Amino acid sequence: MPDLINAEEQLKRFEMRIAAGEKIEPKDWMPDRYRQQLIRMISQHAHSEIVGMLPEGNWITRAPTLRRKIGLLAKVQDEAGHGLYLYCAAETLGVDRRGMIEALLEGKAKYSHIFNYPTLTWADIGVIGWFVDGAAIVNQTMLAKCSYGPYSRANLRICKEENFHKRQGYEIVSTLSSGTLKQREMAQDAVNRWWWPSLMMFGPPDASSPNSAELLRWKIKLHSNDELRQHFVDITVPQAAAVSITLPDPKLRFDTSSGHWMFGEIDWSEFYEVIKGNGPCNKERMKARRDADSEGAWVRDAAHAYAEKHVSAGT
Amino acid sequence: MADSRKENTGEGELWEVFIQCETGAPHEHAGSVHAADAEMALQNARDVYARRGTVVSIWVVPTSAIAATSPSDEHPFFDPANDKAYRHPQFYKIPKTVKGF
């Protein structure tokens, strides 16, 4: 059985490289499961960036000042760019971009559950930047150190840009929370609605996370869902206090023995409902993506026609 | 680098993007874009990899035009350089009394 021995040997060498902190590059041998896990994660991450433009895009035309508007426009444009960095990283694993996009449009591929919540007021834009981008930064800072070279590099690029997203959001919340009573209430209301869904962004608890063990062993992830969630809570609590915002969790308390902020139970049934397609905006988001794809088809066709015309004309 | 990627899908041909972040610096691989032709590839590369004003030059190359070594080449292909200590300055001894050589 020379092939089997060879496969075992290859896996052993692969895992030794991972253990030594080496990066895996596209042409290197890798177990099929490693490739499949990465394709799943990176394409979901890419789809999340693209769908993530929709809730915030909703407020671009209604931003309260020009300063807020240019900031939000630049942020939403960054999300498009981040989606493209990630599709490009996924393509190095042998999947094509059109296939990934079609999987999303057909409802076969997932994206982060967080983008299925509505943006009801301007304060939501502030809280999304602060919580949602804040949580994404925690996750992506880890992924920038992951074992797969192209995914690591894409996340590094994303992290360099994403701090501005969090700051513009926190600035909005900070401004509202030092404003009129109505503005303060608006900020607090947005925080109340986004806090728990933001904590769910890190995924199910370690005990019921089906992919975690494998992802950690191959250093696709370096920390567990619960560790990342705890880190996010620890850094966010003082940020909330600094802008006189109350986080909607009566069980939130500082535990001196562990040095961490303890928080209440997360309602995972809500998370699984949203994942299944029953969140407040799932249908609206998917419709917006499908419309964008079909309405943009003529642009892709025209670009091809133009390129072919110039090739055949030799210019 | 993108060896196993399929090309010419509905999204256009695949192009590798190299950016130079200041004059005098080397062009470095940044990622890839899809585009129907070189002009559009440059515009897409600008929009995707140069949104912060820290890029002074961009190259785009059709992915299919890039030849690359493969990991199985690693040892035989690069071996000849491994045993040539005499290519490094440390191989050569100079008197300890010489300062600022």
Side-chain angles (χ1 to χ4, degrees):
Chain A
M1 301 194 297
D3 283 348
L4 183 64
I5 292 162
N6 192 32
E8 274 173 20
E9 186 59 31
Q10 275 179 316
L11 181 62
K12 206 171 127 192
R13 277 192 52 196
F14 171 84
E15 294 197 331
M16 277 169 64
R17 291 187 63 197
I18 299 268
E22 279 185 47
K23 298 286 186 212
I24 306 301
E25 292 295 337
K27 288 177 159 190
D28 294 348
W29 185 89
M30 62 186 84
D32 194 50
R33 283 288 300 167
Y34 180 83
R35 186 184 299 275
Q36 295 312 323
Q37 287 282 27
L38 279 168
I39 291 172
R40 180 186 63 81
M41 265 182 75
I42 303 174
S43 65
Q44 277 183 23
H45 192 171
H47 297 326
S48 300
E49 300 282 353
I50 300 298
V51 179
M53 290 191 282
L54 297 170
E56 291 181 292
N58 182 34
W59 279 90
I60 290 173
T61 56
R62 292 175 290 163
T65 66
L66 188 55
R67 184 173 185 276
R68 293 288 185 228
K69 187 171 180 169
I70 52 175
L72 183 57
L73 259 175
K75 177 189 188 296
V76 172
Q77 194 189 16
D78 271 355
E79 307 300 0
H82 296 174
L84 297 179
Y85 301 162
L86 293 161
Y87 283 127
C88 147
E91 281 176 289
T92 65
L93 293 158
V95 283
D96 83 341
R97 186 168 306 196
R98 189 66 207 163
M100 286 186 275
I101 291 171
E102 276 167 10
L104 174 70
L105 299 180
E106 289 162 13
K108 290 179 192 157
K110 286 181 189 158
Y111 56 90
S112 175
H113 90 297
I114 197 80
F115 302 116
N116 293 311
Y117 290 87
T119 40
L120 301 179
T121 70
W122 171 250
D124 289 42
I125 299 307
V127 175
I128 287 176
W130 177 23
F131 286 174
V132 176
D133 289 83
I137 290 168
V138 167
N139 200 27
Q140 289 161 170
T141 304
M142 167 192 73
L143 293 171
K145 296 176 200 138
C146 82
S147 63
Y148 187 57
Y151 194 33
S152 153
R153 292 191 286 274
N155 277 290
L156 201 62
R157 201 171 275 282
I158 289 171
C159 287
K160 279 186 188 165
E161 298 181 345
E162 198 122 308
N163 277 336
F164 128 63
H165 300 180
K166 183 178 171 184
R167 282 177 76 109
Q168 69 91 35
Y170 190 61
E171 189 192 90
I172 291 170
V173 175
S174 164
T175 304
L176 290 173
S177 72
S178 58
T180 64
L181 175 66
K182 219 171 165 185
Q183 286 171 323
R184 293 202 301 275
E185 284 173 354
M186 191 166 84
Q188 184 62 54
D189 170 65
V191 165
N192 294 349
R193 285 182 287 108
W194 287 95
W195 174 248
W196 292 104
S198 299
L199 294 190
M200 296 172 198
M201 282 177 69
F202 298 98
D206 297 346
S208 48
S209 174
N211 295 305
S212 277
E214 198 169 56
L215 297 177
L216 286 164
R217 185 158 56 96
W218 285 334
K219 293 190 182 170
I220 295 173
K221 294 184 72 166
L222 301 169
H223 304 288
S224 73
N225 296 353
D226 287 333
E227 285 169 351
L228 294 171
R229 187 165 16 247
Q230 184 64 60
H231 176 63
F232 174 74
V233 172
D234 289 343
I235 60 172
T236 308
V237 170
Q239 291 164 7
V243 291
S244 310
I245 286 286
T246 307
L247 297 173
D249 180 357
K251 291 189 177 159
L252 197 64
R253 63 170 181 88
F254 189 70
D255 178 53
T256 40
S257 65
S258 67
H260 291 299
W261 284 89
M262 300 290 112
F263 51 95
E265 280 285 298
I266 293 172
D267 177 10
W268 290 105
S269 63
E270 175 182 324
F271 175 76
Y272 290 114
E273 274 305 302
V274 177
I275 295 262
K276 265 194 276 174
N278 302 325
C281 299
N282 295 58
K283 290 187 179 68
E284 187 184 330
R285 302 295 183 235
M286 289 308 298
K287 182 178 185 307
R289 288 311 314 147
R290 289 193 194 105
D291 289 350
D293 190 69
S294 57
E295 284 163 21
W298 72 269
V299 180
R300 296 190 293 273
D301 292 344
H304 282 295
Y306 180 83
E308 273 170 27
K309 188 174 132 192
H310 283 257
V311 168
S312 57
T315 53
Chain B
M1 200 62 65
D3 63 302
S4 52
R5 287 184 257 182
K6 291 177 192 167
E7 287 169 41
N8 263 326
T9 62
E11 305 295 303
E13 195 184 356
L14 191 60
W15 302 72
E16 298 301 323
V17 178
F18 299 82
I19 59 175
Q20 185 189 33
C21 290
E22 56 182 338
T23 55
H27 284 73
E28 285 185 349
H29 185 243
S32 63
V33 292
H34 285 266
D37 60 19
E39 185 186 355
M40 189 186 284
L42 281 172
Q43 287 170 353
N44 289 352
R46 176 202 57 197
D47 292 345
V48 177
Y49 295 102
R51 285 193 304 283
R52 290 292 193 283
T54 49
V55 174
V56 295
S57 165
I58 300 178
W59 296 345
V60 290
V61 184
T63 303
S64 57
I66 293 181
T69 57
S70 80
S72 55
D73 287 341
E74 194 183 323
H75 294 294
F77 197 77
F78 297 106
D79 259 355
N82 286 346
D83 58 352
K84 295 185 174 56
Y86 50 87
R87 289 181 187 269
H88 297 278
Q90 293 76 8
F91 186 76
Y92 303 94
K93 293 176 179 60
I94 55 167
K96 284 201 173 82
T97 50
V98 179
K99 301 277 185 227
F101 187 78

